[in-house]
Amino acid sequence: MESPFKGPNQIFKDKDPFKEEYTPEEILERDDIIEEYAASLQDVLDGFGPPNVFIYGQTGVGKTATTTKMMEYLNAEASAQNQSLTVINVNCNKRTSTYQVISHVANKLHPSREIKQGTHPDTIWSVIYSEIDRIGGDVILILDEIDKLGEDEQLLYEFPRSRSMGELENAEVGIIGISNNFKFRENLSGRVKSTLCEKEIQFSPYDATELQTILNYYADLTFKPDVLSTDVIPLCAAYTAQDTGDARMALDLLETAGDIARHENSELVDEEHVRLARSEVDRANTRDIITERLTTQMQLTLMATTFLVLDEGTDTKIKHIYSLYKNLCEKIGTDTLSESRIRDHISTLEMFGLIESSEKNLGRRGGRTFIYSLVDEPRIVLDTFREDAQLEAGFPASTDQLLSQYEESSKSGFQSELDL
């Protein structure tokens, strides 16, 4: 048997810059945001203590990369002024409760004393405050994907009040919260909103021109000379700008187009490779959003919507989504949220581009209502849910039959005739 591997790579010179953890040397097309960010953090350098800052924006618009770079600048300035500054990063996608976050923070501050599972929260808080006061100065706690904490607000209430409560004497704590959910703050309780008094910075999606600048920067780092046809980067930028304005998606599209060209042993990445890559990236992006960006409750809301889309005899209204959502929660044994919270989750699913709504007029007496539909093929969504055993346990027995019927009914007459 001959080797299945391809010949020498003719396309890429380095793929590290495509990796998610890569931080570019400079942040492109965010000059206004950097200026606003710097103004928000100026209090640290002026000796007034760290502020609370909330960063909002869709996935892939530079929130985390910009924050990382801003902390580098801030640390350098603080060091030059002999100011004590400690920055602690926590990804709330992995740590979704106050207990998990404070355990991680305590271990970061006091690595020689491992906080074991089951340690009482009061003990953990004591370790944190003791270590922060010992270090002294300003402490900034970065909570990336802070919305994954859900309705668990203790962290947001506790840290900003730590000095006024007498827990700290030699240090002050500020929180930088990074979120994809623009409504996150609206869902916080009044006492937390009052305590935070935070500044807000919103990242807008990139437009096609901005994406071209970013893609050209990465292309110089990753591709060999003269392997990209002139229309590749403009096409990647245009596709992404029309869809999400997500730089991460644009880079995935560019990398995938290169992978396809390499697989074909092509010496050039061209427009057709981009078109093929777009289909692959769309599917992968949907899967990533569902598995990495959605909480369990959001996933169950999307599941309920998907099943109702398959059941063509039922309108996909919020009241029907909520009714089925409750059944799914009961079936897999998880807590049920209120209808108002599910409405919020539906808005989040729309923001992520997983579902869309259309207004339906029910007549003079019925008023108007919204009908929800999936943006992607139901099979992609359901196949993703099948990868989670707990979620798959909530599938109705008729799921595959309904899916087949839905796909068959979606075919045109020509497709049926040609058996496509």
Side-chain angles (χ1 to χ4, degrees):
M1 175 180 172
E2 293 184 7
S3 172
F5 294 103
K6 300 299 177 182
N9 162 47
Q10 304 179 77
I11 301 296
F12 296 104
K13 66 179 179 182
D14 186 7
K15 295 193 80 173
D16 279 348
F18 284 126
K19 295 177 180 177
E20 192 165 348
E21 64 270 20
Y22 179 82
T23 300
E25 288 298 317
E26 58 179 314
I27 303 298
L28 301 170
E29 301 293 352
R30 285 301 185 213
D31 291 348
D32 292 345
I33 289 287
I34 289 173
E35 187 175 334
E36 185 179 358
Y37 215 144
S40 298
L41 296 171
Q42 188 65 41
D43 280 356
V44 175
L45 300 176
D46 291 343
F48 301 134
N52 298 310
V53 183
F54 270 35
I55 310 298
Y56 294 102
Q58 297 174 14
T59 303
V61 294
K63 304 184 300 298
T64 300
T66 302
T67 298
T68 300
K69 188 60 66 175
M70 291 303 298
M71 291 303 107
E72 289 179 12
Y73 290 137
L74 189 62
N75 266 310
E77 291 282 350
S79 179
Q81 297 181 24
N82 292 317
Q83 289 182 253
S84 175
L85 174 64
T86 303
V87 178
I88 303 171
N89 279 281
V90 182
N91 189 331
C92 297
N93 186 43
K94 298 178 180 178
R95 301 167 184 91
T96 58
S97 69
T98 290
Y99 185 85
Q100 291 175 334
V101 171
I102 62 175
S103 296
H104 178 73
V105 171
N107 285 325
K108 281 258 190 180
L109 292 169
H110 200 328
S112 62
R113 178 183 175 180
E114 183 182 356
I115 300 297
K116 296 181 180 179
Q117 182 69 27
T119 302
H120 196 280
D122 290 347
T123 301
I124 301 175
W125 280 112
S126 178
V127 170
I128 290 173
Y129 288 138
S130 175
E131 286 301 303
I132 287 177
D133 233 14
R134 183 186 63 79
I135 295 169
D138 293 332
V139 176
I140 294 178
L141 177 64
I142 300 174
L143 299 173
D144 203 350
E145 299 193 57
I146 190 173
D147 47 285
K148 292 298 178 68
L149 293 175
E151 297 179 348
D152 187 349
E153 299 181 341
Q154 183 186 359
L155 196 72
L156 302 181
Y157 185 67
E158 182 88 16
F159 268 125
R161 299 176 69 245
S162 53
R163 194 173 177 92
S164 65
M165 291 189 305
E167 300 288 356
L168 297 175
E169 294 182 4
N170 305 315
E172 285 190 68
V173 179
I175 290 176
I176 294 180
I178 304 175
S179 176
N180 301 317
N181 186 354
F182 290 89
K183 292 191 174 183
F184 175 73
R185 189 186 189 283
E186 295 177 19
N187 296 326
L188 296 175
S189 64
R191 68 168 192 160
V192 171
K193 289 179 184 177
S194 175
T195 298
L196 280 173
C197 299
E198 82 282 1
K199 302 174 182 180
E200 292 188 7
I201 299 175
Q202 295 199 9
F203 283 63
S204 59
Y206 293 107
D207 62 28
T209 302
E210 292 168 337
L211 286 169
Q212 282 198 53
T213 301
I214 294 168
L215 290 174
N216 277 312
Y217 173 86
Y218 278 86
D220 288 342
L221 296 174
T222 55
F223 288 94
K224 292 184 176 182
D226 303 321
V227 301
L228 296 181
S229 66
T230 56
D231 52 3
V232 165
I233 285 179
L235 188 58
C236 287
Y239 276 153
T240 309
Q242 292 166 10
D243 188 0
T244 61
D246 174 345
R248 179 74 262 162
M249 182 182 290
L251 290 170
D252 287 346
L253 187 58
L254 183 61
E255 181 184 12
T256 304
D259 284 336
I260 292 171
R262 180 175 62 170
H263 182 75
E264 293 179 353
N265 284 329
S266 174
E267 296 181 356
L268 191 71
V269 184
D270 61 24
E271 180 179 338
E272 182 59 26
H273 294 133
V274 176
R275 297 189 190 282
L276 291 171
R278 187 186 188 190
S279 177
E280 288 189 23
V281 169
D282 283 348
R283 286 174 172 266
N285 185 59
T286 297
R287 294 165 66 88
D288 287 345
I289 291 175
I290 292 173
T291 57
E292 302 293 332
R293 303 290 177 183
L294 301 188
T295 64
T296 300
Q297 294 290 345
M298 292 176 189
Q299 290 174 337
L300 288 166
T301 304
L302 180 60
M303 273 181 64
T305 306
T306 304
F307 290 140
L308 288 173
V309 167
L310 296 182
D311 184 3
E312 296 178 318
T314 306
D315 281 337
T316 316
K317 302 177 185 177
I318 281 186
K319 68 176 183 179
H320 295 141
I321 294 173
Y322 184 64
S323 178
L324 181 52
Y325 154 81
K326 289 191 295 182
N327 293 148
L328 294 174
C329 288
E330 183 178 354
K331 190 167 184 181
I332 71 170
T334 191
D335 293 337
T336 303
L337 301 182
S338 66
E339 184 172 339
S340 63
R341 291 292 294 128
I342 297 307
R343 287 177 182 271
D344 291 337
H345 287 334
I346 287 173
S347 297
T348 301
L349 295 176
E350 285 193 272
M351 182 193 73
F352 278 129
L354 295 171
I355 64 174
E356 56 190 359
S357 61
S358 58
E359 194 173 22
K360 183 177 181 180
N361 194 326
L362 301 178
R364 188 173 299 175
R365 293 186 178 182
R368 294 178 299 176
T369 189
F370 287 97
I371 304 297
Y372 294 89
S373 58
L374 295 179
V375 173
D376 294 293
E377 300 168 25
R379 183 174 292 277
I380 297 173
V381 178
L382 292 178
D383 284 349
T384 303
F385 285 136
R386 287 187 194 276
E387 297 172 8
D388 186 312
Q390 182 186 23
L391 294 174
E392 188 181 24
F395 276 33
S398 60
T399 297
D400 290 331
Q401 180 184 353
L402 285 171
L403 179 59
S404 296
Q405 291 174 349
Y406 175 87
E407 291 176 339
E408 188 62 34
S409 67
S410 299
K411 290 183 179 180
S412 68
F414 288 117
Q415 286 175 304
S416 299
E417 181 181 338
L418 297 170
D419 196 24
L420 295 177

